[in-house]
Each structure stands twice: as structure tokens, then as C-alpha cells.
Amino acid sequence: MSLNSPIEPDAVRPESVEPVTLSDRVNAVINPAADPSPDAAAATAAKSAEKTGIPQSRKQNSATFTQPETIGLFGPRKDSFSQRYHLTRRGKLKRLAQIAQIVNQFDIVHGLTPIKMRLMFEALGPTFVKVGQILSMRSEILPQSFCDELSKLRADADPMPYGTVLQVLEDEYGRPVGEIFEHINATPLGSASLAQVHRAKLSTGEDVAVKVQRPGVRETMAQDVSIMRTIARIAAKTMHSAQVVDLSGVVEELWDTFESETDFLIETRNLAEFKRFCERYKYMDCPKPYPELCTEHVVVMDYVEGISVSHPNELIEAGYDLKEIGTKLVDNYATQVLDEGFFHADPHPGNIMVRGGQIVLLDLGMTGRLNAKTRSVLKDMIFAVAKQDSPALADGLLRFAGAEADPEDYPALLADLDVIVKEFGTVDLAELDIAAMLTALTQMAQRHGIEVPSTVTTVGRALVTLEGLLDEFIPDVNMIQIISDHIAASTSKKDFAKDEAKSLVIEGHQALHSLLAAANELKVASRMLTRGQLRVNMEMVGSQEPIHLLANMVNRLTMALIVVGLFIGSSIVYYAGIKPVIFGIPIVGFLGYVIAFILSVWIVFDIYFKGRSNKKR
């Protein structure tokens, strides 16, 4: 059986939404002031839904979950992180005690192996599972063996009770579940630490999958993040080491990721956008969402029944060609990353199925976006590795860092890139280890103070996941070769010439402005020179070390003169016989001798030990 060929997309018609009346909006604002409880807000939304015909779930998304900013006579009301998620000191202390108990069970004091760290993160809950998944791509923080083990983390969890699922749905929709669903299977299709998925049938007859968020999971995450922020602040103040690279940044990246994943309206938009993308390719698809039934905590989408790519024997028995599936999957993924800039960020086997001649991608909760500049840099860097061009690879990394990038030792940067290019650019594409190459590039950039964008890290993590899938289930597919061919095919001579002309125009425009700016600066400098106001700041490269040595010599000479003066002064006092005396020596002279002796010993030791350290260097 062959996968379908690409087709052109159809036009997408926008949905029409009936506007809410002014009286309804006034009531929605005024009534909560009289009764600020969530029940009152839900009742208001229900009444409004009856009048307007708009599903209550949508009204709750804009009224119940949105916290509008307010102003007053004394400034805006401050809505802190703790207030927003109802965090208390007592609750944080209780959670901290739970964390300490679990950490103690794994005997962290005597060291953690990679497997023990993974198991500990799983025991600590969804927050730390996400921490582990992020750290798995931060080899500048953890050794590679730990990163490899943490990449195996999956957020599987015990199923939540069926009654809890029904209660969440009723709370979200504000009406009995039977009015929306004809049937919901009690046995979940999958259960993770964040949400649970059930197969169901709508009252209108559609076969759907319902993803329900676990109650209180966002509050638990917020509590853990609040604790982590405190720990990160303390670590930043007490440990000024490169090993605590960007702990605060990791915590904030974690919270941004989790906040987007716990807002299922974002996943709904991702599904709708990716569905439009798939319309161009008959062999690609994703579940269709039902926006009118989706809320911040519930996603309703088409149920997909097919064969997972993790079952290659079943695919072969069904008549599919594994190589064709792998080739089209990788080529389409290259289109997502390098051409569209919108891609599935977690392409593991459980999220990829084959149904009716189509590759179906599931779970659009984790997606990534790349702007045009980042996509261009990625393409250039892939070509640079293929051509073994270290300067071009260095230019790509510096373009990531932005205009402020200024490596202290550019020759050392090129030397490190030469090592990476020789190691990875000379091997056959079938033998290229993407994970090792990305890790080497990230570590090298970190050493030279170049910050690689987090979106690129997300691309790297996704490519490593996809590579692992192919190696295990479809080993005959060469991912790097397909991506390289895709880049070459997507850039025609006409497009290349157009891009080059555009680049020349932009660079010429920048060069002209730079020349005019230089002329203006020269005019200012000449005016200051004629007025005697010109000052020149000069720095001699390599002069710091000799100046430092000269300063040490002057300091020692000064101390030696002080010692000589103390000895001479103390001797004069001794011969003068000034009283009182101790050990037959005037006290003033005795103190002078003692101080002079101590300073002499200090000078000798300073010269000796610094001399040894200089020899070692």
C-alpha cells in the first residue's frame, strides 16, 4: 500500500461567532462583585450561554480563567504569582517536606547514578519529569550519561478515577455530560501525569477522543516552581560557578513550557493550524479539534484508530512500505522545521500512527516555532558541516547570538569548530550521530559565551527523538541524507538568485549607512581635535600580564623598604635606651623588630610560592 501524494490546500473558511450582548457583559462584570465565587461566575456564564447560544465553555475561557488587569486611584492591583495560584507558605513547606522525603529515599547525599536520578524525578511528580526532560538536552549542566538516561523520561501515571473525569467535564461545561456525549469509555486510552485521554461518542454521532486535565495539576506545578525559584536565587548568590549555569533560566523555561502545555486552548489552536498544514499533503494528517467543546482543561478531537510506527510488523502485514513511511515522515518534518517554522516537538513512536495511507501525528501539546532568521541560519550550518567549513559554522553560531556577540578568542572558536567539523563532517551521512553533534556544538558554544536559542535546542531534541525512532523501527532510512536532499531541492536556482540579490541589497543598504555614520563620526572627531577636546583610549593587547608583574615588583619593593626602615628605626631606639624595656630591648624597638621580621618572612614566602605557580603555567 502506498502513501498518498501531495495535493494543494483548500481555502479555509473562518468560523462565525455570535457577539455577546451589552447587558450580558455588564452582568458578567457586576454580579461577581456581589458574589465573587466561581459558582456565581459559572451561573452568569450559563445564563449568558442560554441567551446567546454560544457554548458556555467558550465563555468560561474568557470570563472565568482570564484575570484582567485593573487600575485604581492608587495604581494597579498587584496580582502576584502566589495569589494567582493560591500558594501559601504552609503549603510550600508541606510540599518541600515531601520532596525532601523522596530525595532522602534515593540517598542523594551519597550520589546519584543516571538511573536513580530518572527514577527520583518520576517519583517527584510532573514538575520534575519536565525538569528532567529539559535537562536531558542541557549537556552543559549534566554529564552526557545523565542526559541520555533522562531522555527516557515519560510522564506516565496511574489513571484517575472515572468519576473524577466526569466531574471535571461537568465543571468545565456547566451542564450534565450526557447532554454532550452519548457515551464515554470508562477505561482510558492513556494516562499521564498531566492529563488522561478517553474514547467517547458525541451526541451528534462523531467518534472522538477526550483529553481531560488532572485537577490541581497546574497549582502543584506552580508550587514546585515557586520552590525552585527560591532555590535558584539562593544558589545564584552563594555559588558563583559555571556549573550552576543558568538554573534560573532552566526554571523559567520549565514554567513557560508547562504553562503552555496546561492551557489546552493552545493545543486546540495547534491542532487547527497543523490540520491546515496537512491539507497540502494527502499522506499527512492530524486529528481535527472541536473548538466549541474545547476549554482550558479539556480537548475534544477526532479519535484516530490506526497502526503505530512502533509496530513495523503490523505495518508490513497491512501492505505498507516502511522505507516510504520513514522517508516521507522525515521529509515532511524537514518541511515543518525549515520551511514552515512550525513543527511537532515530540515525535516519539506513541505520537505517530498510520491510518488509511496517511501518517497521522498526535498530541500537538508540544510544538516549536522558528522565525525566518533562525531557519536560514540552520540551513547554512547544515551546509557548513557538509562542506567542512569552520568559518561558515562560526558565523552561523554568532548570528544566533545576535549583534552583541563578540567572542573573546575567535581563533580558539575556529579551532574548536575545526575539531567538530573533522569529527562529524568527514563521516558518511548514514553514520552521523546527530545527538553527539548537537551536544558537541552546544557545549562548545557555552564555553565561548554563545547562547544558542531555546527553539534550536527544541529542534535538536525533536530530531534526536525522531532519529531514535527510525533507528529502532525503520533502520533503512537515512534521516540526514533526506534532510540534506530536502534543503537542496527546496532551493532552486531562481530562488537562490533571488535570495542572493535580496541579501546583496540588504548588505549594501547597511554598508551605505555604516559609511555615512563613519563619515559623521569623523566630522565630530575632527571638530573635537581642532578644539583640543579629543581624547584617545588605547588598550595594548597582551599588556595586562606584564603590567600585573610590574605592579607586584613595585609592591614587594615598597614592602622591602618598609622592612629596612623598621629595622633601622628599631636599632636607633635600641641604642638610645628608651624605657620601658623587655628582654633588654626598648618595647618600641622590640615591636619594630617583630613587625619587620614578620613582613620579611611574608615577602620571602610570597616570592617563593608565586615563582612556583608561574613555573607550572
Side-chain angles (χ1 to χ4, degrees):
M1 183 182 296
S2 176
L3 299 180
N4 294 313
S5 303
I7 61 172
E8 291 299 319
D10 295 329
V12 180
R13 290 176 298 181
E15 298 179 5
S16 60
V17 179
E18 185 179 347
V20 184
T21 63
L22 177 61
S23 61
D24 290 328
R25 284 181 286 173
V26 171
N27 288 332
V29 174
I30 295 177
N31 287 341
D35 185 2
S37 65
D39 295 336
T44 302
K47 292 178 181 178
S48 179
E50 292 175 2
K51 295 179 181 179
T52 61
I54 298 175
Q56 183 185 346
S57 58
R58 238 183 224 184
K59 287 185 172 294
Q60 286 180 331
N61 294 334
S62 60
T64 305
F65 301 110
T66 303
Q67 299 294 334
E69 186 178 1
T70 60
I71 61 172
L73 294 176
F74 302 100
R77 181 184 63 187
K78 294 182 179 178
D79 186 18
S80 68
F81 185 82
S82 298
Q83 291 173 339
R84 193 180 312 149
Y85 296 102
H86 312 292
L87 305 181
T88 62
R89 186 181 299 273
R90 182 179 179 181
K92 286 197 285 187
L93 289 175
K94 184 178 179 181
R95 175 59 178 161
L96 193 58
Q98 292 175 350
I99 293 173
Q101 183 180 3
I102 295 173
V103 168
N104 186 54
Q105 290 176 357
F106 285 87
D107 196 17
I108 191 174
V109 176
H110 295 90
L112 284 174
T113 63
I115 294 177
K116 284 179 68 177
M117 176 176 277
R118 176 176 61 82
L119 294 175
M120 183 183 72
F121 280 165
E122 289 176 349
L124 287 169
T127 308
F128 292 88
V129 169
K130 286 295 177 186
V131 171
Q133 290 173 344
I134 290 176
L135 288 178
S136 67
M137 284 300 294
R138 302 297 289 269
S139 55
E140 75 275 14
I141 299 178
L142 290 177
Q144 188 59 41
S145 59
F146 284 81
C147 294
D148 294 339
E149 187 64 31
L150 292 179
S151 65
K152 302 175 184 177
L153 279 169
R154 285 288 174 259
D156 298 329
D158 295 331
M160 60 177 166
Y162 182 61
T164 303
V165 174
L166 296 179
Q167 186 61 49
V168 171
L169 291 174
E170 288 189 1
D171 292 342
E172 287 297 304
Y173 296 126
R175 48 180 169 154
V177 176
E179 295 182 8
I180 303 172
F181 300 98
E182 181 180 315
H183 175 71
I184 300 177
N185 286 2
T187 304
L189 297 171
S191 182
S193 57
L194 175 62
Q196 190 162 293
V197 181
H198 289 258
R199 185 175 182 177
K201 188 175 183 179
L202 295 177
S203 57
T204 52
E206 292 89 347
D207 198 9
V208 296
V210 184
K211 185 176 181 179
V212 181
Q213 189 175 129
R214 290 178 180 269
V217 69
R218 179 180 284 190
E219 287 71 19
T220 301
M221 180 67 175
Q223 193 170 62
D224 289 345
V225 166
S226 179
I227 294 171
M228 289 180 188
R229 282 173 174 166
T230 302
I231 295 173
R233 283 196 298 267
I234 295 173
K237 292 179 181 178
T238 58
M239 300 176 66
H240 301 285
S241 168
Q243 291 302 317
V244 194
V245 176
D246 190 13
L247 192 55
S248 297
V250 172
V251 173
E252 296 308 320
E253 180 183 346
L254 164 71
W255 176 245
D256 291 341
T257 301
F258 196 87
E259 195 172 31
S260 62
E261 287 187 26
T262 53
D263 185 354
F264 285 175
L265 290 175
I266 294 178
E267 182 173 353
T268 303
R269 290 193 292 270
N270 290 340
L271 282 167
E273 183 175 352
F274 201 78
K275 186 76 174 177
R276 290 193 293 271
F277 164 76
C278 290
E279 288 175 353
R280 282 177 277 175
Y281 306 90
K282 274 194 171 181
Y283 64 85
M284 290 296 299
D285 199 7
C286 76
K288 181 189 76 174
Y290 292 78
E292 68 279 2
L293 297 177
C294 296
T295 72
E296 191 176 8
H297 303 98
V298 176
V299 177
V300 179
M301 67 195 99
D302 279 337
Y303 174 73
V304 177
E305 188 170 15
I307 305 173
S308 171
V309 292
S310 59
H311 301 119
N313 293 331
E314 294 183 20
L315 290 171
I316 294 174
E317 291 175 1
Y320 290 104
D321 183 351
L322 293 183
K323 189 170 184 180
E324 182 187 8
I325 292 174
T327 301
K328 290 193 173 180
L329 175 62
V330 174
D331 184 72
N332 188 270
Y333 203 79
T335 301
Q336 296 174 36
V337 174
L338 298 175
D339 299 338
E340 296 294 324
F342 174 66
F343 61 94
H344 195 300
D346 192 21
H348 66 79
N351 285 339
I352 304 175
M353 302 187 75
V354 178
R355 176 196 63 179
Q358 290 181 313
I359 301 171
V360 184
L361 296 185
L362 310 175
D363 192 0
L364 269 293
M366 288 181 63
T367 59
R369 295 182 184 272
L370 298 174
N371 57 33
K373 174 188 173 183
T374 304
R375 298 199 302 271
S376 174
V377 174
L378 276 176
K379 291 180 182 179
D380 292 344
M381 289 178 67
I382 291 173
F383 278 129
V385 173
K387 294 186 296 183
Q388 301 182 34
D389 189 346
S390 298
L393 193 57
D395 289 343
L397 284 173
L398 294 178
R399 284 169 65 191
F400 274 146
E404 68 279 1
D406 186 17
E408 296 181 359
D409 195 346
Y410 189 78
L413 173 63
L414 290 180
D416 287 346
L417 287 171
D418 281 334
V419 173
I420 293 175
V421 167
K422 288 178 182 177
E423 181 178 357
F424 298 102
T426 56
V427 301
D428 186 76
L429 288 175
E431 301 173 357
L432 181 61
D433 188 342
I434 297 178
M437 185 185 76
L438 291 172
T439 299
L441 274 173
T442 303
Q443 291 177 336
M444 186 278 305
Q446 180 69 29
R447 287 198 305 271
H448 291 276
I450 300 173
E451 184 178 355
V452 178
S454 59
T455 51
V456 177
T457 306
T458 303
V459 172
R461 182 166 56 232
L463 289 177
V464 170
T465 303
L466 189 59
E467 182 187 37
L469 180 152
L470 295 172
D471 288 343
E472 185 174 359
F473 302 112
I474 314 177
D476 294 334
V477 175
N478 185 343
M479 187 173 76
I480 298 300
Q481 184 67 62
I482 294 172
I483 293 176
S484 300
D485 293 344
H486 175 89
I487 295 174
S490 62
T491 308
S492 64
K493 292 183 178 180
K494 181 179 179 181
D495 293 335
F496 179 77
K498 187 185 297 182
D499 292 340
E500 285 295 310
K502 184 177 179 181
S503 298
L504 286 173
V505 170
I506 293 174
E507 291 174 3
H509 179 268
Q510 292 175 343
L512 178 61
H513 277 273
S514 299
L515 184 62
L516 293 175
N520 186 56
E521 293 291 337
L522 183 61
K523 176 183 177 182
V524 174
S526 62
R527 183 183 301 168
M528 294 176 67
L529 180 62
T530 56
R531 296 180 179 181
Q533 298 173 334
L534 187 64
R535 296 180 181 180
V536 179
N537 293 325
M538 296 182 62
E539 180 181 353
M540 298 177 62
V541 179
S543 63
Q544 290 81 2
E545 187 67 20
I547 292 174
H548 181 67
L549 293 175
L550 181 62
N552 283 337
M553 291 172 59
V554 173
N555 290 337
R556 289 172 184 169
L557 182 59
T558 302
M559 293 298 294
L561 291 175
I562 293 173
V563 169
V564 170
L566 285 172
F567 271 116
I568 293 174
S570 300
S571 299
I572 292 173
V573 171
Y574 172 74
Y575 284 109
I578 299 175
K579 296 181 180 181
V581 298
I582 181 173
F583 303 119
I585 305 173
I587 290 180
V588 177
F590 179 79
L591 292 175
Y593 282 131
V594 171
I595 296 173
F597 177 76
I598 293 173
L599 291 176
S600 300
V601 171
W602 178 79
I603 292 173
V604 171
F605 273 93
D606 183 62
I607 294 172
Y608 175 74
F609 285 112
K610 284 193 175 179
R612 288 188 62 181
S613 64
N614 288 334
K615 286 181 180 178
K616 288 180 181 179
R617 281 190 286 175

